[in-house]
Each structure stands twice: as C-alpha cells, then as structure tokens.
Amino acid sequence: MTNKNLLVLIVGVFALIALSVESASAFGDIATVEVNGVPIPAGGNINFANLAGERVQILVRFDATQNAEDARIKVWISGESQDSVVSDRFDVIAGNVYTRVIYLDVPTDIGSKLDEAQKLEIVVENKAYGIADSVLVNLTVQRESYN
C-alpha cells in the first residue's frame, strides 16, 4: 500500500511540474496582426501578395497574461530566417495591451521561390520563457511585371 501511495504522490508532483512549466512558457497572446494595413484573420488564412524588394509594415497587438522582461517581436519569411527583423525589447505587465510596428524588407534574391506560397512568421518571445505566441500568414512574393 505504501508503494502505491508513493507512486500516486510522484505522479501528482510530475503533473504539477508539467502544468506549471506549460503555463509559464506563455506570457501572452498575439491578439491581432495587420500587414500593410490589412487585418489578418485568426489563423492567418489570407493569401497576401507582395513584391520582391518591397517594404512590408506589420502591426502586432499583444495581450500580456503574465509579467515578463525583455519581450520582443520577431518577423521573417519562411526559409529566410537570416533576414529576420526584431522589435526593440520591452517589459510586459499582465493585463496590459502592447502594440509594435515592424518593417520587413521582402528579399529581392528570393529566386526560385517567386510565385510560390510562403509563410510570414511572427513570434513574441523572451529569453526566460521562450515563445509566448506565434502567427503564420500566407504570403506570395512576385516580381514587378515591368522594370
């Protein structure tokens, strides 16, 4: 009987640790995203077209659910993470709403990926908790018809 009680106690402790680690990893949620002034619906299900070399304005509204230090927003096009852009770091206080505007230059050397579906990846993260939330937006990059 003692072994059974000990096993239940150990399982309970591990369950509490797992729940606390999971809830600690998310210090907030991305509430809305706008790309060049166009609101992106939940799930990012909009095929947004941009031209290679174009500067894209991305507005992110973030709702803090926990206090966190050194949060930042990071944006890049899938497969082009070396060209990521990050916001300045900022501290968040639970219950507050934060907005940041980030400008991403669409690479001109995207090569064979032109006219193929890409993903615009947006994350809110910090060093202590990692990624709090992320959004993927469908994106097509094309070249101008006439130069």
Side-chain angles (χ1 to χ4, degrees), residues 73-89:
I73 298 172
K74 184 176 180 180
V75 178
W76 70 95
I77 296 174
S78 58
E80 304 291 326
S81 60
Q82 72 277 7
D83 295 324
S84 66
V85 179
V86 295
S87 70
D88 291 335
R89 292 192 178 274

Side-chain angles (χ1 to χ4, degrees), residues 82-137:
Q82 72 277 7
D83 295 324
S84 66
V85 179
V86 295
S87 70
D88 291 335
R89 292 192 178 274
F90 56 99
D91 294 343
V92 298
I93 299 171
N96 287 348
V97 175
Y98 299 86
T99 58
R100 294 292 184 270
V101 175
I102 299 173
Y103 293 93
L104 175 70
D105 292 325
V106 177
T108 56
D109 61 347
I110 208 153
S112 64
K113 297 179 185 175
L114 287 172
D115 302 324
E116 293 179 15
Q118 305 284 324
K119 297 285 185 190
L120 180 65
E121 301 189 38
I122 304 164
V123 299
V124 176
E125 63 184 7
N126 81 344
K127 291 179 183 177
Y129 298 121
I131 295 175
D133 199 6
S134 64
V135 171
L136 294 175
V137 177

Side-chain angles (χ1 to χ4, degrees), residues 20-28 62 64-72 89-94 124-133:
S20 67
V21 167
E22 184 176 330
S23 65
S25 66
F27 56 90
F62 176 76
T65 57
Q66 293 182 27
N67 294 349
E69 295 179 347
D70 293 330
R72 70 179 185 176
R89 292 192 178 274
F90 56 99
D91 294 343
V92 298
I93 299 171
V124 176
E125 63 184 7
N126 81 344
K127 291 179 183 177
Y129 298 121
I131 295 175
D133 199 6

